Amino acid sequence: MHLDPLILSRLQFVWVIAWHILLPAFTVGVASYIAVLEGLHFWTGKEIYLRVSSFWIRIFSVSFGMGVVSGIIMPFQFGTNWSRFSDATANVIAPLLAYEGLTAFFLEAAFLGVLLFGRKLVPAWAHFVAALMVAFGTLFSSFWILAVNSWMQTPAGFEVVDGRFFPADWWQVIFNPSFPYRLAHTVVGFYVTTGFVVLGVAAWLIRQGKFGPEGRLMLSTTLWLLLFLVPLQIVLGDLHGSNTLRYQPAKLAAIEGRYDTTSPVPLTLFGIPDDKAAVMHNEIAIPWLGSLVLTHSLDGEIKGLKEWPADQRPPVGPPFFAFRIMVGCGLMMLALVLWGTVLRRRERYVQSVAFLCCCQAASMLGFVAVLAGWTTTEVGRQPWTIYGLMRTADSVTPSLTGWNVLLTLIGYVLVYLVIFPGGGLVMARIIRKGPIGLDNAAIESGRPAQPVEALPGTLIEATTS
C-alpha cells in the first residue's frame, strides 16, 4: 500500500492545528475579559467583580496550559515534516517566531504566576497589572503568529538568494499587505468567540438558579460588548475580503465558486462545485449582489479560476462551503445579540427561558466560525505555502516516508483524544462549581521562627556521635 507523505503531513497539520486554534480563540479573549474584571474590582472595590474574575482565571489556567502544550507541536512539525519549507524561509520566519517568544512568552511567564497564585500575596493594583500583562502577552502572541501567516499569504519585503528567502525590509515583512486586516479580523473573532462562551456559561448559571448576580453580570457586560464587536467583525470581514480580492484573487474566486470571469457577479448562496468540469452545479444565486458585496459596485468584475493554469488553482469545495458556514455563524450571532438587546428592557433577557437556551446553544458557535474561517483562508491559499512562490508539494521533508507520518499521525490522534476531552471535563467541573467565594484562609509568609525542627532525640545523637 502506497502512503503519500505529503497528504499525510497535511492531514497531520490539519489535525493538530484544528485542535490548537480552539485554545487561543478562547484564551486571547478571556485574558482581556479577566483584565477588565480585575480593573473594575480595583476601581470599584465590588466583590462581585473579584468572584467572577477568579472564576474565569481558573478556567483560563486550564485552557492556557493546554494551549502551550499543543502549541509547541506546531513549530516542531516545521522541522519534522516541512524541512524544505523551513530551510527556504528560516531567515524570515524564525526571527518572527523568536520575537513571539521574547515578547509574549516572557510576558506571560513573568506575570501568569502572579495572576494565578498572587491574589493574597500582592496588592490589588499589582494583581490588576499582572492581569493586564497576561492579556497583552496573548495579544503579542497573536501579533507575531499572524505576521508569519500573513507573510505566507501575501509575501513582501524579501529577496530570494540561492532558493532561500532573505528579509530585505523588516517593516514590509511584518506589515505585509494582508497583515492589518488579518490581525484585526482574527483578534476580534477571538473576542467574539470568548464572548459567546461567557454568554452560554452565564445563561446556564441563571437557568440553574445558582449564582444569579454573577450570571447577570456576565450576561449584561458580554451582551454590551458583543453589540459592538459583532457588527465590527462584519465590517472587518468585508475589508479583509476586499484585500483578498486585490492580493489573492484566485482564493477569492474559489470562495465565491467562480470558474468564469463575470461581470456583474451574482452572489452564490449554494451550489455544488465541480473542479474537473470547472462548473458550479445546482447554483442558487442572487443577481448583482456578488459585485456589490465584493467590489462595492453593481457591475464589478471578478476573475474566474479559468484565468489561472489548472495546477495553480485552489480546490473550490472546502473554501466555498467553509466561508458560507462562517458567514452563517456570524449572522446567527448578530441575530442573538440584537434579540438580547431588545430583551434588555425590564431585564427580560435574564427571564426569557428561550433566549437563555439559545445563548447556551450558541456558546460554541464562535469556535465553529473560527475553524470555518481558518479552512477558508488556508485551503484557499493552496497549492502554495508561500503564495505564488513556493508550492506545498515542494515544502515537505524529502526523506519522509508515508509510514513515518502515519505513525506520528496516529500518535497525535490518540494523545489529543485524551488531552482535549480531559481538559474539557476539568473546565466543565469548574463551571459546575460556579463562581464560588475565595478561600479566606490566611497565607503564611515571612521567616519561620525555627527553620528546621529536628525529631526528639536525633539532635542529641547527631552532636555526640
Side-chain angles (χ1 to χ4, degrees), residues 38 41-42 114 118-131:
E38 289 290 328
H41 171 248
F42 176 70
V114 178
R119 175 79 71 189
K120 299 176 182 177
L121 299 175
V122 299
W125 66 264
H127 202 261
F128 171 46
V129 170

Side-chain angles (χ1 to χ4, degrees), residues 188-229:
V188 172
F190 287 175
Y191 280 169
V192 170
T193 299
T194 303
F196 274 86
V197 173
V198 175
L199 215 59
V201 171
W204 184 81
L205 291 173
I206 294 170
R207 288 193 63 222
Q208 294 298 308
K210 301 185 295 186
F211 309 106
E214 291 84 356
R216 289 182 180 214
L217 173 69
M218 293 183 211
L219 199 66
S220 177
T221 53
T222 312
L223 267 179
W224 282 126
L225 191 65
L226 290 173
L227 185 61
F228 167 71
L229 289 178

Side-chain angles (χ1 to χ4, degrees), residues 253-397:
I255 291 171
E256 295 302 318
R258 292 285 126 213
Y259 291 99
D260 296 294
T261 300
T262 312
S263 174
V265 184
L267 182 67
T268 304
L269 301 178
F270 180 78
I272 301 174
D274 184 342
D275 287 345
K276 287 186 178 178
V279 66
M280 182 69 73
H281 299 292
N282 303 320
E283 183 177 8
I284 301 174
I286 303 174
W288 292 292
L289 194 55
S291 288
L292 184 62
V293 171
L294 297 168
T295 67
H296 302 162
S297 166
L298 281 176
D299 58 353
E301 179 184 278
I302 300 297
K303 284 186 178 179
L305 285 169
K306 291 179 182 176
E307 299 285 339
W308 289 269
D311 66 343
Q312 295 183 18
R313 301 174 192 168
V316 173
F320 176 79
F321 289 114
F323 179 76
R324 277 145 188 80
I325 292 172
M326 180 182 68
V327 172
C329 290
L331 293 176
M332 284 191 284
M333 289 174 173
L334 181 64
L336 188 61
V337 170
L338 292 177
W339 185 18
T341 305
V342 171
L343 291 177
R344 268 188 180 276
R345 191 175 180 184
R346 297 180 183 177
E347 292 201 340
R348 286 180 295 162
Y349 68 113
V350 295
Q351 300 164 359
S352 169
V353 175
F355 175 70
L356 294 175
C357 288
C358 286
C359 287
Q360 285 182 246
S363 58
M364 295 293 111
L365 211 52
F367 294 111
V368 176
V370 166
L371 287 175
W374 169 76
T375 302
T376 302
T377 196
E378 297 305 321
V379 180
R381 182 184 55 186
Q382 297 303 318
W384 311 98
T385 45
I386 308 297
Y387 193 76
L389 297 168
M390 186 175 189
R391 288 178 177 274
T392 307
D394 297 329
S395 302
V396 74
T397 302

Side-chain angles (χ1 to χ4, degrees), residues 25-301:
F26 175 66
T27 55
V28 170
V30 80
S32 294
Y33 185 54
I34 289 168
V36 170
L37 291 168
E38 289 290 328
L40 289 171
H41 171 248
F42 176 70
W43 292 110
T44 66
K46 293 182 178 178
E47 289 292 317
I48 189 170
Y49 292 122
L50 186 146
R51 290 197 299 275
V52 175
S53 174
S54 299
F55 171 69
W56 285 107
I57 286 175
R58 288 194 290 273
I59 297 172
F60 172 77
S61 64
V62 178
S63 55
F64 185 85
M66 293 168 62
V68 171
V69 171
S70 59
I72 292 173
I73 303 299
M74 310 309 298
F76 184 69
Q77 284 188 108
F78 288 163
T80 56
N81 295 65
W82 305 100
S83 64
R84 278 182 171 169
F85 166 80
S86 300
D87 180 53
T89 63
N91 294 292
V92 174
I93 288 180
L96 299 181
L97 294 177
Y99 296 148
E100 188 205 7
L102 290 171
T103 55
F105 287 176
F106 280 14
L107 207 56
E108 291 163 352
F111 290 96
L112 185 62
V114 178
L115 181 66
L116 297 183
F117 308 113
R119 175 79 71 189
K120 299 176 182 177
L121 299 175
V122 299
W125 66 264
H127 202 261
F128 171 46
V129 170
L132 275 179
M133 293 300 105
V134 171
F136 282 137
T138 61
L139 291 173
F140 276 132
S141 181
S142 302
F143 179 94
W144 292 114
I145 293 298
L146 290 170
V148 171
N149 184 269
S150 296
W151 184 81
M152 293 165 65
Q153 303 276 352
T154 52
F158 67 92
E159 58 184 357
V160 178
V161 179
D162 296 330
R164 292 184 174 88
F165 295 86
F166 286 85
D169 185 333
W170 277 112
W171 183 265
Q172 289 187 30
V173 167
I174 297 170
F175 295 95
N176 58 76
S178 67
F179 174 68
Y181 302 95
R182 195 179 312 281
L183 177 67
H185 190 53
T186 304
V187 170
V188 172
F190 287 175
Y191 280 169
V192 170
T193 299
T194 303
F196 274 86
V197 173
V198 175
L199 215 59
V201 171
W204 184 81
L205 291 173
I206 294 170
R207 288 193 63 222
Q208 294 298 308
K210 301 185 295 186
F211 309 106
E214 291 84 356
R216 289 182 180 214
L217 173 69
M218 293 183 211
L219 199 66
S220 177
T221 53
T222 312
L223 267 179
W224 282 126
L225 191 65
L226 290 173
L227 185 61
F228 167 71
L229 289 178
V230 174
L232 174 65
Q233 180 69 336
I234 294 173
V235 174
L236 292 171
D238 177 65
L239 294 172
H240 195 21
S242 298
N243 179 267
T244 304
L245 173 63
R246 180 176 179 184
Y247 292 99
Q248 294 180 292
K251 177 195 285 189
L252 191 104
I255 291 171
E256 295 302 318
R258 292 285 126 213
Y259 291 99
D260 296 294
T261 300
T262 312
S263 174
V265 184
L267 182 67
T268 304
L269 301 178
F270 180 78
I272 301 174
D274 184 342
D275 287 345
K276 287 186 178 178
V279 66
M280 182 69 73
H281 299 292
N282 303 320
E283 183 177 8
I284 301 174
I286 303 174
W288 292 292
L289 194 55
S291 288
L292 184 62
V293 171
L294 297 168
T295 67
H296 302 162
S297 166
L298 281 176
D299 58 353
E301 179 184 278

